[in-house]
Amino acid sequence: MPQGTQAAANAGGPTQHTQNQDDGLDFVDATRPATNALIALTGPANAGKTYTALAMATGMGTTIGVCDTERGRASHYAHLFPFKHLRMPDFRPQTLVRALAVGARRKIDVMVIDSGTHYWSGRGGVLEQVDRTTNASRSGNAFTSGWKSVKPIEHEMWDAVMAYPGHVIMTLRVKVAYELVENDRGKKEPTKIGLKPDQRADAEYEFDFVGDLDMEHTMTVSKCSYPGLFETGERIELPNTETGARIVKWLSEGTPMPTVQDYVDRVMKPEATYEQLLALYQGELSQRGLLGAALFAPDTGEQTTLGGLIARVGGQRKAAAEGASGTASNGPTAVQGGDAERNAA
């Protein structure tokens, strides 16, 4: 064995025999993909979250949809921005997932969720569902009953948000406090300031861009995963359509990637085999985080996820192939995935 290869083997590195793994686990050259925006806008009441979301969305796409949990207040801006409006009937995470599936079917390319706070602390939201499940359980223990049952539902919601086939802007209420601030006349007056967002503690990790709005409608960038576009701490006075357009321009400069609809079309092709669907599920779709994309199955019309669709169709293709060959299998007949996919199958 050549000296360099032997050294790599001794160090646990790749050798000639391990560079191409049968399981597909390998390093490839990194490329910057053209992806959709995941934006959170936080702020106290009257900070301009809804207006800013609509203004930015107008510069990001042609068909805007608003999932409105704020008693229809987004419609107050209908004369300023063209958008499709959905007044949410309740704040259950399951309802938001269905709304995202409807949005995907309607080809809404910028989805505004106003606001995401209700799906956490609103009536029917995650916290209330945990309390209800806990109270109805024998143990009365929130960790062994309530959270155990509701956490998968919350995960499905976030998976659907992050895998939505378009840009997403979510507004988040923040818990507020007051502090004395000196005004233009040199006198101190109580001023409302925003604290942490009213959502789960790590919600901001789910977004690529987070902007914090104050009572003067100025946005401070607290997170930006788009290098060279905005700096952390940068203040943007009255963010508008141009702000959204800048983000989309930066994102569009990456390498084009297949869309959720492209994958659906690939799955539904009659020639797609079980083995091909299994490889797609475990490889590309899992790596891109698109298995939780909410949609309606093109053949049955049922609400499901991209992962659930593959699980069901893959199972059907495998059963058909085994029936044609006269063989039987003791193993599962569906592409194996998470609980959501198995339930959908």
Side-chain angles (χ1 to χ4, degrees):
M1 181 182 293
Q3 183 176 0
T5 304
Q6 181 65 60
N10 293 339
T15 68
Q16 182 177 358
H17 301 289
T18 62
Q19 286 176 350
N20 297 313
Q21 300 290 338
D22 292 337
D23 60 8
L25 185 64
D26 201 358
F27 289 93
V28 298
D29 291 335
T31 59
R32 173 181 153 190
T35 60
N36 291 313
L38 285 169
I39 297 173
L41 299 177
T42 76
N46 296 321
K49 296 185 294 296
T50 304
Y51 179 93
T52 301
L54 288 169
M56 292 178 62
T58 302
M60 297 171 68
T62 56
T63 306
I64 301 166
V66 178
C67 294
D68 189 344
T69 68
E70 301 280 0
R71 294 182 170 85
R73 290 175 189 159
S75 61
H76 296 171
Y77 302 102
H79 65 297
L80 299 175
F81 309 102
F83 60 91
K84 304 292 185 182
H85 188 238
L86 173 58
R87 187 165 179 165
M88 299 300 291
D90 59 62
F91 306 144
R92 299 183 309 127
Q94 300 93 321
T95 305
L96 178 57
V97 172
R98 184 168 181 83
L100 294 174
V102 173
R105 183 168 63 182
R106 301 295 188 202
K107 300 188 183 306
I108 291 173
D109 53 8
V110 187
M111 182 64 73
V112 176
I113 303 171
D114 185 39
S115 98
T117 291
H118 290 89
Y119 299 102
W120 173 252
S121 58
R123 183 170 297 177
V126 170
L127 295 181
E128 184 171 288
Q129 289 195 35
V130 169
D131 288 341
R132 287 180 180 176
T133 305
T134 301
N135 294 335
S137 69
R138 281 180 150 184
S139 66
N141 188 306
F143 292 98
T144 60
S145 57
W147 281 109
K148 182 178 180 180
S149 299
V150 179
K151 202 65 178 176
I153 296 173
E154 184 189 17
H155 285 320
E156 289 174 21
M157 179 191 75
W158 282 108
D159 286 346
V161 169
M162 292 183 288
Y164 183 74
H167 306 296
V168 174
I169 302 176
M170 179 183 287
T171 68
L172 294 171
R173 295 180 176 185
V174 297
K175 298 176 180 179
V176 299
Y178 289 86
E179 67 177 15
L180 292 175
V181 177
E182 189 173 293
N183 60 24
D184 296 338
R185 300 183 302 275
K187 295 183 178 180
K188 291 188 176 182
E189 59 182 16
T191 301
K192 184 187 296 185
I193 59 171
L195 301 177
K196 59 176 294 188
D198 189 2
Q199 244 293 344
R200 74 182 197 191
D202 60 348
E204 294 184 14
Y205 286 96
E206 310 294 358
F207 299 94
D208 298 322
F209 180 94
V210 180
D212 303 327
L213 291 159
D214 61 23
M215 298 305 295
E216 283 72 44
H217 315 312
T218 296
M219 180 170 70
T220 301
V221 178
S222 62
K223 176 183 179 181
C224 181
S225 300
Y226 312 136
L229 188 59
F230 295 105
E231 296 294 332
T232 300
E234 182 175 345
R235 290 172 60 81
I236 304 172
E237 294 186 8
L238 302 176
N240 53 27
T241 300
E242 183 182 352
T243 310
R246 285 184 61 190
I247 292 175
V248 168
K249 182 179 183 298
W250 190 94
L251 292 171
S252 66
E253 292 170 352
T255 304
M257 303 292 288
T259 66
V260 170
Q261 186 59 50
D262 290 335
Y263 289 119
V264 170
D265 294 341
R266 191 188 305 184
V267 171
M268 299 309 296
K269 287 183 177 179
E271 62 269 24
T273 66
Y274 166 79
E275 290 75 18
Q276 290 172 334
L277 295 181
L278 178 62
L280 181 64
Y281 185 108
Q282 294 180 337
E284 192 172 343
L285 292 180
S286 178
Q287 293 164 5
R288 290 190 62 193
L290 294 180
L291 293 172
L295 51 85
F296 291 96
D299 54 343
T300 66
E302 68 175 344
Q303 180 190 337
T304 182
T305 62
L306 183 55
L309 178 67
I310 296 177
R312 178 175 60 80
V313 173
Q316 293 172 347
R317 302 281 167 84
K318 184 175 184 180
E322 291 173 347
S325 63
T327 61
S329 172
N330 294 325
T333 59
V335 175
Q336 293 300 296
D339 293 337
E341 287 74 28
R342 285 194 288 271
N343 290 340

